[in-house]
Amino acid sequence: MKSMYIVIVILFCLPMGCAVLSDQYKEDEYDRTMYTYETALQLSDFKTVCQFVDPAVMSRKTCVSRFGRIKIADYALTGMTVAEDRLKVHQEIEIEYYPLDNIILKKTQFSQSWAYQKDNKKWILENGPPQIP
Protein backbone atom coordinates (compact mmCIF):
# COMPACT_ATOMS: atom_id res chain seq x y z
CA MET A 1 0.00 0.00 0.00
CA LYS A 2 2.83 2.35 0.88
CA SER A 3 4.54 1.74 -2.47
CA MET A 4 1.26 2.46 -4.28
CA TYR A 5 1.07 5.83 -2.49
CA ILE A 6 4.65 6.67 -3.58
CA VAL A 7 3.86 5.78 -7.20
CA ILE A 8 0.74 8.00 -7.15
CA VAL A 9 2.69 10.92 -5.65
CA ILE A 10 5.43 10.54 -8.28
CA LEU A 11 2.90 10.38 -11.13
CA PHE A 12 1.24 13.60 -9.98
CA CYS A 13 4.42 15.49 -9.10
CA LEU A 14 6.52 14.52 -12.09
CA PRO A 15 4.66 16.70 -14.64
CA MET A 16 4.80 19.70 -12.29
CA GLY A 17 8.47 19.12 -11.63
CA CYS A 18 9.22 18.94 -15.34
CA ALA A 19 7.38 22.21 -15.91
CA VAL A 20 9.37 23.91 -13.17
CA LEU A 21 12.62 22.55 -14.60
CA SER A 22 11.59 23.67 -18.08
CA ASP A 23 10.86 27.20 -16.84
CA GLN A 24 14.17 27.27 -14.98
CA TYR A 25 16.05 26.15 -18.10
CA LYS A 26 14.28 28.82 -20.17
CA GLU A 27 15.22 31.53 -17.64
CA ASP A 28 18.83 30.30 -17.40
CA GLU A 29 19.07 30.27 -21.19
CA TYR A 30 17.68 33.83 -21.29
CA ASP A 31 20.34 34.96 -18.81
CA ARG A 32 23.12 33.29 -20.82
CA THR A 33 21.80 34.76 -24.07
CA MET A 34 21.53 38.28 -22.67
CA TYR A 35 25.03 38.11 -21.16
CA THR A 36 26.57 36.99 -24.46
CA TYR A 37 24.53 39.45 -26.54
CA GLU A 38 25.24 42.44 -24.28
CA THR A 39 28.93 41.59 -24.05
CA ALA A 40 29.16 41.29 -27.83
CA LEU A 41 27.48 44.68 -28.23
CA GLN A 42 29.78 46.31 -25.69
CA LEU A 43 32.79 44.89 -27.57
CA SER A 44 31.30 45.97 -30.93
CA ASP A 45 31.45 42.32 -32.04
CA PHE A 46 28.60 42.69 -34.52
CA LYS A 47 29.03 39.26 -36.11
CA THR A 48 28.28 37.67 -32.73
CA VAL A 49 25.40 40.09 -32.11
CA CYS A 50 23.87 39.09 -35.43
CA GLN A 51 23.97 35.39 -34.57
CA PHE A 52 21.01 36.08 -32.26
CA VAL A 53 18.84 37.65 -34.98
CA ASP A 54 16.10 35.49 -36.47
CA PRO A 55 17.40 34.57 -39.95
CA ALA A 56 13.82 34.65 -41.24
CA VAL A 57 13.76 38.37 -40.43
CA MET A 58 17.21 39.41 -41.59
CA SER A 59 20.34 37.84 -43.04
CA ARG A 60 23.60 38.00 -41.07
CA LYS A 61 25.15 40.20 -43.77
CA THR A 62 22.26 42.68 -43.65
CA CYS A 63 22.37 42.66 -39.85
CA VAL A 64 26.08 43.46 -39.68
CA SER A 65 25.71 46.22 -42.27
CA ARG A 66 23.10 47.96 -40.08
CA PHE A 67 25.83 48.93 -37.64
CA GLY A 68 27.93 50.73 -40.22
CA ARG A 69 31.42 51.73 -39.08
CA ILE A 70 30.88 52.43 -35.41
CA LYS A 71 32.23 51.53 -32.01
CA ILE A 72 29.79 50.99 -29.12
CA ALA A 73 30.73 53.00 -26.04
CA ASP A 74 27.83 52.01 -23.76
CA TYR A 75 24.79 49.76 -23.73
CA ALA A 76 21.93 50.12 -21.27
CA LEU A 77 18.64 48.31 -20.79
CA THR A 78 16.16 51.07 -19.93
CA GLY A 79 12.92 49.07 -19.79
CA MET A 80 11.62 45.56 -20.10
CA THR A 81 8.26 43.80 -20.37
CA VAL A 82 7.89 40.03 -20.05
CA ALA A 83 4.89 38.27 -21.58
CA GLU A 84 2.63 36.39 -19.20
CA ASP A 85 3.61 33.04 -20.71
CA ARG A 86 7.30 34.05 -20.34
CA LEU A 87 8.01 33.20 -23.98
CA LYS A 88 8.54 36.79 -25.16
CA VAL A 89 10.49 39.72 -23.77
CA HIS A 90 10.28 43.28 -25.06
CA GLN A 91 13.20 45.56 -24.19
CA GLU A 92 13.93 49.25 -24.48
CA ILE A 93 17.62 49.83 -25.18
CA GLU A 94 19.91 52.83 -25.26
CA ILE A 95 23.36 52.71 -26.77
CA GLU A 96 26.08 55.31 -27.00
CA TYR A 97 28.43 55.00 -29.93
CA TYR A 98 30.83 56.92 -32.07
CA PRO A 99 31.58 56.65 -35.79
CA LEU A 100 35.06 55.32 -36.48
CA ASP A 101 35.86 58.36 -38.64
CA ASN A 102 35.34 60.87 -35.78
CA ILE A 103 35.12 60.91 -32.00
CA ILE A 104 31.77 62.57 -31.45
CA LEU A 105 29.73 60.43 -29.07
CA LYS A 106 26.15 59.81 -30.21
CA LYS A 107 23.20 58.14 -28.57
CA THR A 108 20.26 56.16 -29.93
CA GLN A 109 17.31 54.39 -28.38
CA PHE A 110 15.46 51.43 -29.84
CA SER A 111 13.17 48.56 -28.98
CA GLN A 112 13.97 44.91 -29.39
CA SER A 113 11.83 41.82 -28.98
CA TRP A 114 13.09 38.40 -27.93
CA ALA A 115 11.16 35.16 -28.32
CA TYR A 116 11.87 31.72 -26.93
CA GLN A 117 11.92 29.01 -29.57
CA LYS A 118 10.72 25.84 -27.88
CA ASP A 119 11.97 23.57 -30.66
CA ASN A 120 15.53 24.94 -30.57
CA LYS A 121 15.44 25.76 -26.85
CA LYS A 122 16.97 29.17 -27.43
CA TRP A 123 16.09 32.85 -27.37
CA ILE A 124 16.10 34.72 -30.67
CA LEU A 125 15.97 38.42 -31.48
CA GLU A 126 12.85 38.89 -33.60
CA ASN A 127 13.43 42.36 -35.01
CA GLY A 128 17.22 42.75 -35.38
CA PRO A 129 19.40 45.65 -34.35
CA PRO A 130 18.59 49.26 -35.21
CA GLN A 131 19.91 50.93 -38.36
CA ILE A 132 22.73 53.15 -37.15
CA PRO A 133 23.70 55.96 -39.54
Side-chain angles (χ1 to χ4, degrees):
M1 185 67 168
K2 188 175 184 179
S3 63
M4 180 64 119
Y5 177 72
I6 292 172
V7 170
I8 291 172
V9 168
I10 289 173
L11 289 175
F12 281 109
C13 293
L14 190 59
M16 289 185 289
C18 289
V20 169
L21 290 176
S22 176
D23 284 345
Q24 184 62 48
Y25 176 83
K26 186 173 33 177
E27 290 175 20
D28 289 347
E29 185 61 25
Y30 176 81
D31 291 342
R32 282 189 293 273
T33 300
M34 289 307 106
Y35 177 79
T36 304
Y37 177 81
E38 291 170 11
T39 300
L41 265 176
Q42 291 168 345
L43 295 173
S44 299
D45 180 358
F46 304 127
K47 288 182 181 178
T48 299
V49 167
C50 291
Q51 289 178 359
F52 294 99
V53 176
D54 185 350
V57 172
M58 178 182 307
S59 73
R60 301 280 188 264
K61 185 176 180 179
T62 301
C63 176
V64 171
S65 72
R66 292 186 95 179
F67 288 102
R69 294 186 28 81
I70 64 163
K71 176 77 173 159
I72 303 290
D74 192 29
Y75 170 93
L77 176 66
T78 59
M80 185 169 76
T81 307
V82 179
E84 198 170 308
D85 63 4
R86 304 176 73 80
L87 295 175
K88 289 192 180 266
V89 176
H90 180 79
Q91 298 174 328
E92 297 298 322
I93 305 297
E94 180 177 277
I95 60 171
E96 291 184 10
Y97 67 96
Y98 58 90
L100 293 176
D101 58 354
N102 74 42
I103 57 170
I104 297 172
L105 193 61
K106 298 180 179 188
K107 189 184 292 189
T108 188
Q109 296 176 338
F110 60 97
S111 298
Q112 59 187 25
S113 297
W114 291 86
Y116 184 72
Q117 292 183 332
K118 291 179 182 179
D119 295 341
N120 299 331
K121 295 186 178 178
K122 68 179 188 176
W123 288 89
I124 192 134
L125 186 57
E126 293 183 306
N127 57 337
Q131 180 74 42
I132 299 178

